[in-house]
C-alpha cells in the first residue's frame, strides 16, 4: 500500500484540484473537515485536501473507486478521516445532485456506519428507490465482508424489487469478474467479526492491547494484556468503533447464524458442493461457522458425484465416520450435506445415535428414515397461520402478495439449481390471526428428487 507524506499529498491536490470543487462542495463547511490527520497523526491536512477527495467523487456519475483519492485517504489517519466523512454525511440533505459523497463515505466507513446506511436505504426505499439503490452501490464499494454481506442480504430480503434487482446486478457483476457463482461469493463474505479461527480478536490502541475471546455460547471475555487485567464489561476508555461493534455483537451473530442456517437448508436440498480446501475455509477458519460444522452430517463425493463416505467434524479438528471412528479425507474430494435419500437406513440410524450420544441438537432436521411419500403425508392439508409464519421465517421465504390485502403464498428460490419451492395458501391475508386456518399446497419448479426430498424433510418438521 502506497503511503504518502504530507508534502506528497499536497502536491497531488495542488496539481489536480479543479476550481469547480469549491462550488460542488460548497454545502460542506470547513469546520466539518478540518480535523483530519496524516497517518502518524503528526500533522493535520488542510480542508482543501478533503474537498479535493469529495470533489473528485462528486464529479462521477457511476460507482467506482478513484485512484488518487484512495491513495490520499489511505495515507490519512483512519479515525479522523472517518469522523470528517461522518460529519459530511450527517449534514448532507440527501440531494440527488450530491449523492456521490456516499462513495468515499462508504469506502472508508466502519461496520456501524454501513449498518446505519443500510437502515436508511430501507427507510426510503418505497419513496426514493433510486437514491436507495445508490446507497447500495456505495455500500458495495466498501469491498468489506460487512458491506458486501449487506448487499447480498438486500438481494434476497428487500421488499422493493428495484432494490433487490440493483443488488443482484452488483453481485452478478462481481461474480462474473471473479468467475464464481453468487452462492460461492456469499461463502467468501460470511462475517467473522474480526475473530480468528481460534475465536480471538485483538484490539490495539494508544497504550492498549485488549484480547477478546469468543466463548462457546458466543459471549466474550475481555483481557487487557498490558495491564494483565480481565474485565467483565468493555472498559470506558475502550476504542469507540470496536466498542460499538462488540456491544452489538450478540444480535449481529444471531442475524448471521439465521442467514447461514437458511443457506445450509438450501444446500441440504440442492447438494451444492465444496472442495475440501474451500470447505475448511468456511467451516474451520470461521469460528461461528464451526458451530454448524460440528452439528451437521457431511457427505464425501468423488468427481462423478458418487457418495464415498460421510463424516461429522469434531471439536478437535478431526473427521469421524458413522461408527465414531476417525477418518482421513483426500484433498480431491467434494463435500456437501448428506441427504438421507443417498444412504441406507443403518447409516442414518448410526448418525442419529451418535448425535444423541454427544447431546447434539441440529440447527434443522437433516436425518430421516422416511421416504419422500412418508414426509409428504406428514404435512397437513391445512394448518394455522402461526405455523406458516414460523416456517417461512425459518426458511427465509419471500411473500407473494395477492389482491386486496391477501397473501397468495410464499416462495423460496435457489440460485444454484435455479429451482423454486412455492407454498400456495388460501384465505391468508395481512390481518390473519395466528390461530386462523389456511389450506396448504406445495409446488416445485425445476426441482430434482434430492431438492424435493430435502424440502419435504424440512417442511414436514416445520408444518405440523
Amino acid at each position: 500500500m502506497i503511503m504518502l507524506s504530507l508534502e506528497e499529498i499536497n502536491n497531488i491536490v495542488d496539481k489536480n484540484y479543479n476550481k469547480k470543487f469549491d462550488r460542488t462542495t460548497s454545502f460542506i463547511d470547513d469546520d466539518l473537515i478540518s480535523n483530519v490527520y496524516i497517518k502518524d497523526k503528526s500533522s493535520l491536512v488542510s480542508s482543501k485536501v478533503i474537498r479535493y477527495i469529495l470533489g473528485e467523487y462528486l464529479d462521477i456519475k457511476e460507482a467506482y473507486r478513484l485512484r488518487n483519492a484512495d491513495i490520499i485517504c489511505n495515507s490519512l489517519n483512519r479515525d479522523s478521516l472517518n469522523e470528517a466523512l461522518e460529519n459530511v454525511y450527517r449534514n448532507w440533505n440527501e440531494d440527488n445532485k450530491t449523492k456521490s459523497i456516499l462513495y468515499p463515505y462508504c469506502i472508508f466507513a466502519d461496520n456501524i456506519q454501513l449498518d446505519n446506511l443500510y437502515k436508511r436505504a430501507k427507510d426510503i426505499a418505497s419513496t426514493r428507490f433510486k437514491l436507495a439503490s445508490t446507497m447500495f452501490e456505495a455500500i458495495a464499494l466498501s469491498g468489506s465482508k460487512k458491506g458486501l454481506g449487506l448487499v447480498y442480504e438486500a438481494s434476497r430480503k428487500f421488499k422493493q424489487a428495484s432494490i433487490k434487482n440493483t443488488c443482484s446486478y452488483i453481485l452478478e457483476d462481481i461474480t462474473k469478474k471473479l468467475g464464481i457463482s453468487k452462492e460461492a461469493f456469499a461463502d467468501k463474505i460470511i462475517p467473522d467479526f474480526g475473530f480468528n479461527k481460534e475465536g480471538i480478536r485483538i484490539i490495539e490502541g494508544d497504550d492498549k492491547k485488549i484480547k477478546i475471546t469468543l466463548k462457546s455460547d458466543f459471549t466474550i471475555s475481555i483481557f487487557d494484556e498490558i495491564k494483565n487485567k480481565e474485565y467483565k464489561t468493555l472498559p470506558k476508555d475502550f476504542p469507540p468503533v470496536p466498542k460499538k461493534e462488540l456491544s452489538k455483537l450478540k444480535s449481529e451473530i444471531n442475524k448471521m447464524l439465521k442467514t447461514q442456517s437458511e443457506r445450509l437448508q438450501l444446500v441440504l436440498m440442492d447438494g451444492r458442493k465444496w472442495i475440501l480446501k474451500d470447505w475448511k475455509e468456511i467451516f474451520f477458519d470461521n469460528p461461528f461457522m464451526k458451530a454448524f460444522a460440528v452439528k451437521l452430517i457431511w457427505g464425501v463425493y468423488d468427481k462423478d458425484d458418487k457418495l464415498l463416505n460421510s463424516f461429522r467434524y469434531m471439536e478437535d479438528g478431526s473427521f469421524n465416520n458413522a461408527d465414531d471412528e476417525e477418518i482421513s479425507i483426500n484433498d480431491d474430494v467434494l463435500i456437501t450435506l448428506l441427504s438421507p435419500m443417498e444412504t441406507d437406513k443403518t447409516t442414518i440410524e448410526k448418525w442419529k445415535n451418535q448425535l444423541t450420544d454427544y447431546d447434539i441438537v441440529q440447527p434443522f432436521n437433516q436425518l430421516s428414515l422416511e421416504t419422500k411419500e412418508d414426509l409428504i403425508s406428514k404435512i397437513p392439508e391445512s394448518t394455522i397461520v402461526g405455523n406458516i409464519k414460523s416456517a417461512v421465517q425459518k426458511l427465509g421465504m419471500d411473500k407473494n402478495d395477492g389482491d386486496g390485502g391477501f397473501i397468495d403464498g410464499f416462495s423460496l428460490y435457489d440460485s444454484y439449481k435455479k429451482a423454486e419451492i412455492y407454498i400456495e395458501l388460501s384465505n391468508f391475508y395481512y390481518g390473519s390471526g395466528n390461530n386462523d386456518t389456511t389450506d396448504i399446497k406445495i409446488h416445485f419448479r425445476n426441482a430434482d428428487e434430492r431438492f424435493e426430498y430435502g424440502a419435504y424433510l424440512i417442511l414436514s418438521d416445520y408444518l405440523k
Side-chain angles (χ1 to χ4, degrees):
M1 184 183 294
I2 299 173
M3 200 64 61
L4 304 176
S5 66
L6 180 60
E7 181 180 0
E8 289 170 324
I9 290 171
N10 288 334
N11 284 341
I12 291 175
V13 172
D14 290 341
K15 182 178 179 181
N16 296 283
Y17 196 88
N18 191 316
K19 288 184 178 179
K20 74 175 181 180
F21 294 167
D22 291 333
R23 172 175 51 80
T24 56
T25 67
S26 61
F27 66 98
I28 303 166
D29 292 336
D30 255 10
D31 60 350
L32 299 177
I33 55 175
S34 59
N35 290 301
V36 180
Y37 291 88
I38 60 173
K39 185 68 78 176
D40 64 6
K41 299 183 74 173
S42 61
S43 304
L44 287 167
V45 297
S46 68
S47 59
K48 183 180 179 181
V49 170
I50 309 304
R51 286 194 188 280
Y52 166 71
I53 294 164
L54 295 172
E56 287 277 34
Y57 273 104
L58 284 168
D59 212 29
I60 62 177
K61 304 303 180 187
E62 296 180 2
Y64 60 91
R65 299 184 68 150
L66 299 173
R67 185 175 183 277
N68 278 351
D70 280 8
I71 290 174
I72 292 174
C73 286
N74 285 323
S75 303
L76 303 178
N77 172 260
R78 189 63 174 260
D79 290 340
S80 59
L81 172 63
N82 185 276
E83 185 177 350
L85 294 175
E86 179 67 22
N87 290 338
V88 173
Y89 170 70
R90 287 186 177 180
N91 284 271
W92 172 56
N93 64 358
E94 296 188 349
D95 182 358
N96 279 320
K97 293 180 180 178
T98 53
K99 63 185 180 183
S100 297
I101 64 120
L102 292 170
Y103 302 153
Y105 174 71
C106 286
I107 290 169
F108 299 98
D110 59 46
N111 290 345
I112 301 296
Q113 290 170 312
L114 293 174
D115 262 334
N116 290 338
L117 189 60
Y118 177 94
K119 291 173 185 174
R120 183 57 186 157
K122 199 171 184 179
D123 289 340
I124 67 171
S126 60
T127 55
R128 303 191 66 187
F129 67 89
K130 287 186 178 179
L131 182 57
S133 294
T134 299
M135 289 178 174
F136 279 106
E137 291 169 353
I139 289 171
L141 279 187
S142 71
S144 66
K145 284 187 175 181
K146 178 65 178 182
L148 294 169
L150 291 173
V151 174
Y152 174 79
E153 180 181 328
S155 76
R156 297 177 65 234
K157 300 291 186 182
F158 242 63
K159 293 179 181 178
Q160 288 75 19
S162 57
I163 307 298
K164 289 180 73 170
N165 291 339
T166 293
C167 293
S168 292
Y169 293 148
I170 292 170
L171 294 174
E172 284 172 13
D173 185 54
I174 295 172
T175 55
K176 190 178 292 183
K177 289 175 181 175
L178 294 175
I180 59 176
S181 69
K182 179 181 175 181
E183 289 305 313
F185 178 70
D187 290 339
K188 294 182 179 298
I189 58 174
I190 296 172
D192 55 21
F193 305 104
F195 289 87
N196 64 20
K197 64 183 178 182
E198 281 80 32
I200 294 171
R201 177 177 176 180
I202 303 296
I203 308 292
E204 294 187 273
D206 297 334
D207 301 321
K208 285 185 181 61
K209 187 177 182 182
I210 309 291
K211 180 181 179 181
I212 310 295
T213 304
L214 198 65
K215 298 180 182 179
S216 59
D217 63 352
F218 295 138
T219 59
I220 58 174
S221 66
I222 307 154
F223 186 78
D224 189 321
E225 295 197 326
I226 294 177
K227 295 180 180 179
N228 196 30
K229 179 180 179 181
E230 187 165 2
Y231 295 93
K232 291 184 177 179
T233 58
L234 296 171
K236 291 182 179 178
D237 60 347
F238 199 81
V241 172
K243 188 173 186 177
K244 287 179 182 177
E245 291 177 359
L246 290 170
S247 66
K248 294 179 60 181
L249 184 63
K250 190 68 175 179
S251 63
E252 287 294 303
I253 290 172
N254 288 337
K255 180 179 174 183
M256 182 272 278
L257 293 178
K258 181 183 181 303
T259 297
Q260 299 310 318
S261 180
E262 292 170 5
R263 296 184 68 225
L264 285 169
Q265 287 177 95
L266 274 177
V267 170
L268 179 60
M269 300 176 209
D270 66 27
R272 183 168 67 92
K273 296 177 177 65
W274 297 271
I275 60 172
L276 182 60
K277 174 180 173 292
D278 290 345
W279 186 90
K280 284 183 174 180
E281 285 180 3
I282 298 165
F283 296 99
F284 178 74
D285 292 348
N286 187 314
F288 303 96
M289 295 304 289
K290 187 177 180 181
F292 287 110
V294 299
K295 293 179 180 179
L296 294 166
I297 309 303
W298 303 89
V300 182
Y301 303 77
D302 65 15
K303 58 181 174 51
D304 296 318
D305 281 347
K306 179 184 177 183
L307 180 66
L308 305 175
N309 208 340
S310 55
F311 72 89
R312 189 169 68 84
Y313 182 64
M314 309 301 285
E315 291 283 357
D316 63 4
S318 62
F319 304 104
N320 279 21
N321 63 16
D323 294 315
D324 210 8
E325 298 170 341
E326 186 173 345
I327 61 172
S328 59
I329 298 177
N330 296 333
D331 291 339
D332 60 348
V333 299
L334 299 171
I335 296 171
T336 191
L337 286 176
L338 179 71
S339 173
M341 67 174 288
E342 298 176 309
T343 189
D344 57 87
K345 290 187 176 182
T346 301
T347 301
I348 296 170
E349 286 174 338
K350 286 181 178 180
W351 278 124
K352 289 169 78 75
N353 290 334
Q354 188 178 140
L355 294 177
T356 300
D357 291 344
Y358 281 88
D359 294 323
I360 290 174
V361 178
Q362 294 195 298
F364 49 85
N365 184 26
Q366 179 189 7
L367 302 173
S368 175
L369 297 170
E370 296 165 301
T371 65
K372 175 179 159 183
E373 288 69 29
D374 292 333
L375 296 172
I376 292 172
S377 69
K378 290 175 65 176
I379 299 173
E381 293 183 0
S382 63
T383 189
I384 59 173
V385 166
N387 283 347
I388 295 292
K389 289 180 179 178
S390 175
V392 301
Q393 193 267 342
K394 289 175 182 175
L395 275 167
M397 301 185 79
D398 292 323
K399 182 167 70 274
N400 297 84
D401 291 324
D403 297 327
F406 278 86
I407 298 170
D408 290 340
F410 292 86
S411 60
L412 180 64
Y413 178 73
D414 175 41
S415 62
Y416 176 71
K417 277 284 180 71
K418 295 181 172 54
E420 186 176 30
I421 314 166
Y422 179 64
I423 301 177
E424 181 185 351
L425 303 171
S426 67
N427 301 317
F428 191 113
Y429 59 99
Y430 279 90
S432 293
N434 285 342
N435 291 320
D436 291 344
T437 301
T438 180
D439 294 334
I440 305 170
K441 288 183 181 178
I442 298 174
H443 306 279
F444 292 93
R445 182 175 63 83
N446 200 36
D448 60 17
E449 276 297 305
R450 172 175 173 137
F451 193 93
E452 290 191 12
Y453 183 92
Y456 283 125
L457 173 59
I458 291 170
L459 288 172
S460 66
D461 196 44
Y462 293 158
L463 297 175
K464 297 179 178 178

